């Protein structure tokens, strides 16, 4: 029997171990971070605000490792639309939807391994990816092209390939968002999504990729802040014992998935949790429900917040709301993952593939359609005008990362012009008026219209229709989910807005390869 003081110290260190905060800083660490790593904290999360370049990031993670050699350094690097490594320029790797459109698991495995090598070079040890969500609802505002597709078997085989690719180069994969965020039209960053399906449907559809990933040995699974009344009508998955312990952890004989690895929460400060339960109590409920590591990612943490959350967990242990054994088990799982990543960093790396695998994949992911009755596309002899129609970006994607085809077309056809035309412009001028403004800006130039999830945005669809009525020779590039019928003289579906997807589309428009 240990003394009360030692017990208290153990509980405090365990509470710090399950917290995975983020921080502000690119070249220097805030003073509190090394101090709390020494006190028991196991790791941190990085976002675009921490990244200037690969070299800078490697130096930053090196300083973290000086404070704690086996520190877990996590990042939300899905490739495609969600990139932190290349937040300022766009990703060198297409995202899940493009890979799913090709449906070559070996290509997906190679892309994930190449991305993993880049993470490892920067000192990252854990990637909060891939998304294993099935894009069941085409109006989904938060998943979309982050999903491999809408077929459970396809999503499962590519989730497995992605996990294997990442982990083959020593990067722990974190499959998300359990038990599946694809069948909702609500973004849990802003509100509580509700999924009204029965358990049979859940097992036959949403859980198929997670079962496959678990069988493939994924090191982590991330929970979703979604309400699933078939299991728990009160608490979202992240805070629900029925979802995390009863479904994810329970053995197959009891109707569960038998998962034994680490359970991460999605960012715990998202409104679906924080506005209903409060950040402090949300952390307590998540660990009590079965979560092991608490992602605190939306805004940079400071020492006061970390200590406040630590104290909330410790107080919950003392009050009996959070069993000490549950907290200790969670902390031990986090420490075990840290040991695995530390050992993996010293392993011999797998050989790199020949060529630019990201661009190869983006080119293979394109779908080209010439709609019936449309004029034949001919590569423009003069630089075109590129009209981009951006939707409001969701928080996971962010607003910092550039997208489109204009930059890449200008590289191939110097003098390419363009402009961004928004929903606010459509509300001001009307969709017919906005189309007229675009046509005036284009003048005699060939016109390229770039849309993103046009099926979800009536203003965008109406403006595009008006443009095509006036200019049937317009090339249309869809950089989101290509759910709407193809239109334009040539319709190019890129299945995502990564930089390499824009480059692949630009090559087709210009009739020139950019090698």
């Amino acid at each position: 029997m240990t003394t009360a003081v030692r017990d208290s110290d153990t509980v405090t260190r365990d509470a710090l171990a399950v917290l995975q905060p983020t921080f502000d800083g690119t070249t220097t660490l805030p003073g509190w971070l090394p101090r709390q790593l020494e006190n028991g904290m196991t790791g941190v999360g990085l976002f675009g605000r921490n990244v200037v370049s690969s070299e800078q990031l490697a130096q930053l993670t090196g300083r973290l490792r000086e404070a704690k050699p086996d520190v877990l350094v996590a990042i939300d690097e899905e490739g495609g639309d969600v990139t932190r490594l290349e937040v300022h320029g766009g990703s060198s790797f297409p995202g899940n939807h493009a890979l799913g459109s090709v449906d070559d698991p070996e290509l997906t495995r190679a892309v994930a391994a190449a991305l993993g090598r880049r993470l490892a070079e920067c000192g990252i040890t854990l990637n909060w990816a891939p998304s294993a969500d099935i894009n069941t609802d085409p109006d989904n505002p938060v998943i979309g092209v982050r999903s491999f597709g809408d077929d459970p078997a396809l999503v499962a085989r590519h989730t497995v390939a992605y996990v294997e690719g990442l982990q083959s180069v020593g990067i722990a994969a974190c499959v998300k968002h359990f038990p599946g965020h694809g069948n909702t039209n609500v973004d849990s960053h802003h509100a509580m999504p509700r999924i009204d399906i029965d358990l049979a449907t859940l097992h036959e559809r949403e859980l198929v990729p997670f079962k496959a990933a678990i069988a493939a040995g994924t090191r982590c699974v991330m929970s979703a802040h979604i309400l699933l009344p078939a299991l728990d009508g009160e608490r979202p998955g992240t805070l629900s014992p029925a979802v995390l312990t009863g479904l994810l952890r329970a053995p197959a004989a009891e109707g569960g998935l038998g998962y034994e690895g680490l359970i991460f929460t999605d960012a715990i400060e998202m409104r679906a949790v924080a506005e209903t339960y409060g950040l402090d109590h949300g952390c307590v409920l998540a660990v009590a429900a079965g979560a092991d590591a608490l992602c605190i990612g939306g805004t940079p943490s400071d020492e006061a917040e970390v200590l406040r959350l630590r104290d909330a967990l410790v107080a919950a242990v003392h009050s009996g709301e959070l069993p000490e054994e549950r907290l200790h088990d969670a902390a031990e799982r986090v420490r075990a993952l840290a040991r695995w990543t530390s050992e993996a960093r010293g392993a011999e790396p797998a050989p790199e593939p020949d060529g630019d695998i990201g661009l190869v994949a983006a080119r293979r992911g394109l779908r080209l359609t010439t709609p019936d009755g449309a004029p034949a596309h001919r590569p423009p002899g003069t630089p075109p005008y590129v009209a981009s129609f951006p939707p409001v970006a969701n928080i996971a994607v962010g607003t910092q990362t550039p997208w489109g085809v204009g930059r890449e077309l200008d590289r191939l056809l110097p003098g390419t012009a363009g402009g961004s035309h928004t929903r606010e412009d459509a509300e001001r001028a009307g969709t017919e008026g906005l189309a007229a403004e675009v046509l005036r800006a284009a003048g005699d130039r060939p016109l390229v219209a770039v849309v993103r999830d046009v099926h979800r945005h009536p203003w965008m669809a109406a403006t595009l229709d008006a443009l095509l009525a006036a200019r049937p020779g317009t090339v249309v590039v869809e950089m989101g989910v290509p759910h709407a019928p193809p239109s334009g003289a040539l319709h190019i579906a890129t299945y995502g807005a990564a930089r390499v997807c824009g480059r692949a589309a630009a090559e087709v428009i210009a009739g020139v390869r950019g090698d």
Side-chain angles (χ1 to χ4, degrees):
M1 184 79 171
T2 55
T3 66
V5 173
R6 287 190 62 192
D7 283 346
S8 177
D9 182 63
T10 298
V11 171
T12 299
R13 292 186 69 84
D14 285 348
L16 279 172
V18 304
L19 298 175
Q20 305 287 304
T22 62
F23 63 95
D24 234 346
T26 54
T27 57
T28 59
L29 297 178
W32 64 267
L33 240 180
R35 180 163 55 247
Q36 296 309 326
L37 287 170
E38 291 174 2
N39 288 342
M41 204 170 73
T42 54
V44 297
L46 302 178
F47 280 84
R49 59 179 172 264
N50 304 114
V51 180
V52 174
S53 66
S54 295
E55 295 75 19
Q56 163 268 328
L57 186 56
Q59 293 173 2
L60 185 68
T61 58
R63 293 188 180 96
L64 285 167
R65 207 156 274 112
E66 289 172 3
K68 187 176 180 62
D70 65 347
V71 62
L72 277 174
V73 185
I75 201 165
D76 192 10
E77 181 59 46
E78 299 176 15
D81 291 31
V82 180
T83 179
R84 314 306 179 200
L85 288 185
E86 298 181 276
V87 64
H88 303 296
S91 182
S92 300
F93 303 95
N96 286 3
H97 212 47
L99 296 171
S101 76
V102 179
D103 195 14
D104 178 354
E106 287 304 316
L107 179 66
T108 297
R109 188 176 288 105
V111 167
L115 188 150
R117 286 187 196 91
R118 190 167 298 184
L119 292 173
E121 289 168 358
C122 294
I124 308 297
T125 61
L126 166 64
N127 192 9
W128 289 318
S131 290
D133 308 288
I134 299 166
N135 208 28
T136 309
D137 188 339
D139 289 330
N140 194 309
V142 67
I143 301 300
V145 294
R146 300 168 67 196
S147 168
F148 289 110
D150 58 9
D151 175 71
L154 180 147
V155 175
R157 60 179 170 264
H158 288 278
T159 298
V160 167
Y162 208 103
V163 167
E164 291 174 347
L166 279 179
Q167 295 188 169
S168 72
V169 294
I171 301 297
C174 186
V175 176
K176 59 189 183 184
H177 307 81
F178 185 84
H181 209 313
N183 190 30
T184 176
N185 57 13
V186 174
D187 185 343
S188 55
H189 290 91
H190 302 297
M192 181 79 75
R194 177 187 175 101
I195 298 181
D196 288 305
I197 58 175
D198 57 34
L199 288 180
T201 302
L202 187 74
H203 278 275
E204 292 168 4
R205 192 175 64 196
E206 272 74 14
L207 295 183
V208 170
F210 292 98
K211 292 175 182 177
I214 290 168
T218 184
R219 292 285 164 176
C220 308
V221 170
M222 178 178 282
S223 67
H225 307 327
I226 57 175
L227 198 63
L228 189 66
L231 282 171
D232 190 329
E234 296 183 3
R235 292 183 181 177
T238 294
L239 310 184
S240 171
V243 172
L244 297 189
T245 301
L247 180 61
L248 184 52
R249 287 271 189 236
E254 299 175 14
L257 275 60
Y259 178 60
E260 297 181 355
L262 187 140
I263 300 175
F264 249 101
T265 71
D266 204 347
I268 200 74
E269 78 287 346
M270 288 161 62
R271 291 181 183 176
V273 170
E275 282 199 353
T276 304
Y277 302 92
L279 183 58
D280 299 21
H281 196 221
C283 288
V284 171
L285 292 175
V287 177
D292 304 307
L294 302 167
C295 173
I296 312 160
T299 56
S301 302
D302 57 22
E303 188 167 31
E305 179 179 71
V306 169
L307 296 181
R308 191 185 79 243
L309 297 179
R310 178 203 68 183
D311 291 346
L313 291 166
V314 171
V317 168
H318 291 317
S319 72
E321 183 179 10
L322 174 61
E324 182 177 351
E325 295 78 10
R326 168 78 277 271
L327 178 62
H328 185 65
D329 172 67
E332 285 296 287
R333 289 179 190 274
V334 180
R335 294 173 185 130
L337 180 66
R339 289 192 296 271
W340 181 87
T341 61
S342 181
E343 293 166 2
R345 278 181 60 80
E348 186 70 23
E352 293 191 30
D354 295 331
D356 186 343
I357 190 66
L359 182 56
V360 169
R363 287 170 174 160
R364 288 183 62 187
L366 295 184
R367 184 173 72 195
L368 311 180
T369 308
T370 302
D372 292 341
H377 168 67
R378 294 180 178 83
T382 58
Y385 181 86
V386 180
S388 297
F389 299 94
V392 176
N394 67 56
I395 291 177
V397 174
T399 58
Q400 287 183 280
T401 306
W403 67 282
V405 300
R407 288 183 305 158
E408 296 299 329
L409 265 174
D410 188 52
R411 192 173 60 84
L412 300 175
L413 297 172
T416 292
S420 180
H421 307 277
T422 66
R423 182 179 64 186
E424 289 74 20
D425 293 330
E427 291 171 349
R428 168 186 52 79
T431 54
E432 293 282 346
L434 178 56
E437 290 178 3
V438 172
L439 292 170
R440 283 195 296 272
D444 294 333
R445 292 171 178 266
L447 183 58
V448 178
V450 185
V451 295
R452 202 166 174 179
D453 291 343
V454 69
H455 67 282
R456 293 200 300 112
H457 304 285
W459 70 270
M460 195 185 297
T463 306
L464 182 62
D465 288 344
L467 283 178
L468 293 174
R471 288 274 196 98
T474 298
V475 173
V476 177
V477 184
E478 169 62 85
M479 302 195 80
V481 176
H483 189 68
S487 59
L490 175 65
H491 186 274
I492 304 174
T494 63
Y495 293 86
R499 176 181 55 79
V500 286
C501 295
R503 177 173 170 179
E507 291 173 347
V508 171
I509 296 166
V512 179
R513 284 287 281 262
D515 295 332

